Amino acid sequence: MSEESEIVRIAAKGDGVTADGRHVRYAAPGDTLLPDGSLSPGPHHAVPPCRHFGTCGGCQLQHCDEASIARYVTERVAFAAQSQGVAIGEMLAPHLSPPRSRRRCALHALSAGGKPVIGFREAGSHRVVDMRECHILRPELFALVPALRALLARRKGRFAVDIELALTDQGVDCALANLPVEGLEETEALLTFAQENRLARLTLDQGYGPEPVWEPEPATVSLSGIPVGFPSGSFLQATVDGEAALAGAAREWLAGAGVVADLFAGLGTFSFPLAETGKVLAVEAARDAHLACKGVAGRSGRPVHAMHRDLFRNPLQPDELNRFDAVLLDPPRAGAREQVSRLAESTVARIVYVSCNPSSWARDAARLVEGGYRLERVRPVGQFVWSTHVELASLFLR
């Protein structure tokens, strides 16, 4: 390398990129790549707050300030649309969740040298970082890590436990998988752990599916102020503020729509807010989530009708879709190729597409545009603080 190069943007996986296309780890926009390969920090370079950054796979962007992360989140969406030839009418300012706001996570626990190691995996590795601090998790979740470490420290032999934590209305929902429990002593230790830490629920999966062993009262999550039963392992937006940003965009863009179809509705994250002003059909394939939504729909007083249907194998057809004033869809990361193709053939006036994967969203957006829709506006959302994971809400008009 013979001359200095400025870092001009952040690549999809978090590396800094120079104007001539070189990728540099832990480089922020405005940094200077020196001839000897070292970095001279620029105005957007931040000091990572966590001691585990660089090893833990939970964060990729702690070396970047908020302004450069906001730009990254926006560019991820813009570049994805551009790659598919889709024009964005209006790109709205991104919403970024603050530190210590994530209310769900998947951790791992291993026995190492006779002691438990608990945390996220290292980037690109099966090794687990022994988490001693975390700047992304809600304090209620991180507070459980030392307690889990103490619980597992009493066990003999080797183990590899998967841990899912979610913050519900009643407290932390803790699900443990691959943890053998044998005999009265181990069972009592688990119940004591749940009671002392005031868990909302403790669930065990020993190879036969999740079974709750502690749940003083039914665990719920509130959606638009309505407590909805929370089946263990169900999908939940990562942060409360991120959910509010996505739901707020949907509510604003679909204002005045009398009848809305909410596809891939889950527990009703968008169904219940949208039902404040109109009727909603909530369509979901996962039976537990469907039943939870259906169970509370009648008691909520809001006009939500829950339908159990696999939209991948049996998407709503154009003649079914044409009965609705608007459609909202929030599919998994793979997108919704078949359902989007049917939407492209419909006469639905407004579509709000919420996505957790700009790449699959852009592919589906191109199909909608091909079918006669225009992409009116997009709101990028960075719920996973310091992560390369990007979400968005988008509005399509016919």
Side-chain angles (χ1 to χ4, degrees):
M1 188 186 305
S2 59
E3 57 184 31
E4 298 179 355
S5 298
E6 183 180 355
I7 304 298
V8 295
R9 64 181 180 88
I10 305 171
K13 295 184 179 180
D15 292 344
V17 183
T18 63
D20 58 359
R22 283 175 288 175
H23 286 233
V24 185
R25 292 191 72 189
Y26 309 128
D31 289 356
T32 301
L33 180 62
L34 301 177
D36 63 359
S38 62
L39 273 177
S40 175
H44 296 292
H45 200 106
V47 177
C50 181
R51 76 180 86 171
H52 301 304
F53 180 68
T55 304
C56 177
C59 295
Q60 296 82 43
L61 299 174
Q62 285 192 13
H63 62 287
C64 298
D65 69 359
E66 185 171 311
S68 58
I69 292 175
R71 176 186 163 193
Y72 164 77
V73 169
T74 301
E75 288 181 345
R76 277 290 309 278
V77 177
F79 290 163
Q82 183 180 12
S83 72
Q84 295 289 338
V86 175
I88 298 175
E90 181 183 10
M91 178 71 79
L92 301 177
H95 171 87
L96 300 182
S97 293
R100 294 188 171 92
S101 61
R102 187 167 163 185
R103 60 174 169 173
R104 63 174 172 85
C105 67
L107 304 176
H108 308 279
L110 300 173
S111 54
K115 296 180 180 181
V117 172
I118 300 177
F120 293 107
R121 295 195 190 279
E122 294 183 15
S125 171
H126 289 291
R127 291 190 296 270
V128 175
V129 175
D130 197 18
M131 182 189 289
R132 298 294 169 168
E133 63 178 306
C134 185
H135 295 256
I136 62 174
L137 297 182
R138 285 278 294 263
E140 299 95 324
L141 298 187
F142 180 71
L144 202 59
V145 172
L148 283 163
R149 192 177 282 115
L151 172 71
L152 295 174
R154 295 195 290 267
R155 298 185 67 88
K156 298 178 181 178
R158 299 182 65 81
F159 55 80
V161 181
D162 294 323
I163 304 166
E164 289 192 8
L165 305 178
L167 191 57
T168 70
D169 297 333
Q170 293 74 25
V172 179
D173 177 21
C174 177
L176 305 177
N178 307 316
L179 179 68
V181 178
E182 300 174 358
L184 181 61
E185 183 178 348
E186 290 185 352
T187 301
E188 288 182 338
L190 278 175
L191 294 175
T192 299
F193 163 75
Q195 187 173 19
E196 289 181 347
N197 290 281
R198 299 181 179 180
L199 296 185
R201 177 170 56 204
L202 177 62
T203 302
L204 282 182
D205 186 343
Q206 300 182 78
Y208 304 98
E211 299 177 274
V213 297
W214 171 269
E215 190 174 11
E217 58 180 292
T220 63
V221 292
S222 289
L223 303 174
S224 188
I226 298 172
V228 180
F230 183 64
S232 180
S234 288
F235 176 78
L236 187 64
Q237 292 290 343
T239 66
V240 173
D241 63 278
E243 179 182 289
L246 293 168
R251 207 165 31 221
E252 176 187 345
W253 297 343
L254 298 183
V259 186
V260 178
D262 179 7
L263 310 183
F264 308 95
L267 299 173
T269 301
F270 300 104
S271 299
F272 291 107
L274 292 175
E276 293 175 3
T277 57
K279 297 180 180 179
V280 179
L281 175 69
V283 187
E284 173 57 41
R287 181 167 289 277
D288 284 352
H290 159 72
L291 291 175
C293 179
K294 181 178 180 180
V296 78
R299 299 192 301 272
S300 71
R302 295 188 188 173
V304 174
H305 176 74
M307 173 187 286
H308 184 240
R309 181 162 170 172
D310 186 339
L311 295 172
F312 290 107
R313 298 184 179 184
N314 186 22
L316 265 65
Q317 298 301 308
D319 61 329
E320 296 175 289
L321 294 164
N322 292 343
R323 303 170 190 170
F324 297 95
D325 299 313
V327 167
L328 182 144
L329 67 159
D330 180 19
R333 287 188 61 79
R337 188 190 300 267
E338 291 301 320
Q339 185 60 81
V340 164
S341 290
R342 304 292 81 78
L343 275 166
E345 298 166 0
S346 75
T347 60
V348 175
R350 283 182 280 177
I351 298 172
V352 168
Y353 191 146
V354 177
S355 174
C356 61
N357 184 351
S359 296
S360 61
W361 164 81
R363 178 204 68 206
D364 289 346
R367 179 67 185 93
L368 290 174
V369 170
E370 179 188 340
Y373 287 90
R374 71 176 186 273
L375 178 51
E376 186 74 5
R377 58 180 63 98
V378 178
R379 179 87 188 272
V381 174
Q383 283 197 79
F384 293 82
V385 59
W386 295 311
S387 165
T388 54
H389 188 87
V390 175
E391 299 183 280
L392 63 98
S394 55
L395 171 64
F396 293 84
L397 300 180
R398 180 166 281 290

